[in-house]
Amino acid sequence: TDSCRPSSLIVDADESRSDDARAPDYANHSVRPPMPSNDSQIYIPGSRIYARWMNRDDPVSYGAWYPGSIHASKMAPIQEEDHPSGIPNLLYHVKFDDGAESIDLDVQDILLQYQYEKWLKDLNEYHSMPQQTGPRKQLSKKTRVYAKWIDPTDPDLHGSWMPGEVSKSLTRDDKGKSDVSYHISFDNGDSDTSIPSRNIIEESVYNELLQEKTREREQRKKISRRCGFDLISEASKIASPIRP
């Protein structure tokens, strides 16, 4: 999917953001990898980071994460007297890699680069599907599919599988090998003109793989519970070192 970039503006994020205007969560955060905790983080000028774009005048990109660096920081006008970490509330001036800037970003809208990239990797793993067996067949126009949504600026959806249909196919050269990619029209109205076949699963196959993945998860839970019971059982057989 094509990522929208922030325009080259300077935005006062303190005036544009609000807690109830954040991008919504589309998955169960009690299961999927949560956003890394950063409430006690202090960023120094020059730190490589990812930060949210909080420009209300740019609704398409609002809330998206983009790479950049810390330019400066200052004390927030309101401080928590009993903050458990004892760290003062700071606001940050961020310069994005494309030249845009945001002033007065809160700490919860910023992550260190390595934290953010690790989070994306964990999300990819969370959304991964069991390996398909057998050769992949070429998909015809209008075939119902699930395609992997790749958008590093949107961790709520990045790596997830989105329903849609094939608009057309095209052959491309991938590292010296001929490969088929597809133009997919998603059910949510978005589209991607060139998704490699490895990131597309026919709808019927996707449903089978999803059931297989669910069974594997349940099996792992059962094994984990059995292991816990076994440890308790074995521990109960150990004679107490305390003698009467």
Side-chain angles (χ1 to χ4, degrees):
T1 53
D2 294 330
S3 301
C4 297
R5 306 297 302 168
S7 55
S8 295
L9 300 171
I10 295 180
V11 177
D12 189 336
D14 189 51
E15 296 179 358
S16 65
R17 72 174 298 280
S18 67
D19 290 336
D20 59 355
R22 289 166 170 271
D25 294 330
Y26 291 94
N28 183 352
H29 282 259
S30 66
V31 178
R32 72 195 291 274
M35 176 180 167
S37 175
N38 63 345
D39 287 344
S40 301
Q41 180 70 50
I42 291 181
Y43 301 101
I44 62 175
S47 296
R48 290 295 302 167
I49 52 89
Y50 274 77
R52 275 179 167 147
W53 179 245
M54 306 303 290
N55 181 4
R56 286 184 178 277
D57 296 327
D58 184 8
V60 175
S61 297
Y62 182 81
W65 293 79
Y66 296 101
S69 60
I70 299 294
H71 178 66
S73 64
K74 67 180 181 181
M75 295 288 288
I78 300 176
Q79 296 290 321
E80 295 182 40
E81 294 182 2
D82 299 323
H83 195 285
S85 67
I87 296 175
N89 293 339
L90 297 176
L91 298 176
Y92 293 92
H93 181 173
V94 171
K95 290 189 175 182
F96 294 95
D97 288 352
D98 66 351
E101 299 181 31
S102 282
I103 300 174
D104 293 351
L105 273 179
D106 290 332
V107 67
Q108 64 262 34
D109 294 320
I110 304 171
L111 284 173
L112 288 170
Q113 179 175 308
Y114 83 89
Q115 287 180 309
Y116 189 80
E117 292 175 350
K118 174 64 165 55
W119 185 26
L120 292 184
K121 184 178 179 180
D122 290 344
L123 288 169
N124 264 321
E125 179 63 25
Y126 169 76
H127 290 297
S128 64
M129 298 296 286
Q131 190 69 31
Q132 295 185 64
T133 58
R136 294 174 182 266
K137 67 177 183 180
Q138 185 156 344
L139 304 174
S140 57
K141 187 175 181 179
K142 297 293 184 182
T143 299
R144 293 290 305 170
V145 298
Y146 276 78
K148 197 167 190 177
W149 187 272
I150 304 297
D151 183 359
T153 72
D154 184 3
D156 283 322
L157 292 179
H158 178 71
S160 62
W161 295 85
M162 305 288 286
E165 67 177 26
V166 175
S167 292
K168 64 179 179 180
S169 63
L170 57 129
T171 303
R172 64 175 190 169
D173 185 67
D174 185 10
K175 297 180 180 179
K177 296 181 180 180
S178 180
D179 187 25
V180 177
S181 62
Y182 295 91
H183 180 170
I184 302 298
S185 298
F186 291 98
D187 291 354
N188 65 0
D190 287 315
S191 65
D192 195 315
T193 59
S194 182
I195 301 181
S197 58
R198 65 178 178 275
N199 288 339
I200 299 174
I201 304 175
E202 194 172 359
E203 187 175 62
S204 59
V205 177
Y206 174 85
N207 291 332
E208 294 173 0
L209 293 175
L210 185 60
Q211 291 177 4
E212 180 183 340
K213 182 173 182 176
T214 302
R215 287 194 298 269
E216 290 176 353
R217 279 184 175 175
E218 291 302 317
Q219 186 63 25
R220 285 197 296 269
K221 288 181 182 179
K222 290 179 181 178
I223 292 174
S224 177
R225 285 196 295 268
R226 282 203 301 270
C227 289
F229 290 142
D230 290 343
L231 287 172
I232 294 172
S233 177
E234 290 300 319
S236 66
K237 299 176 184 177
I238 300 175
S240 172
I242 302 175
R243 296 183 179 180

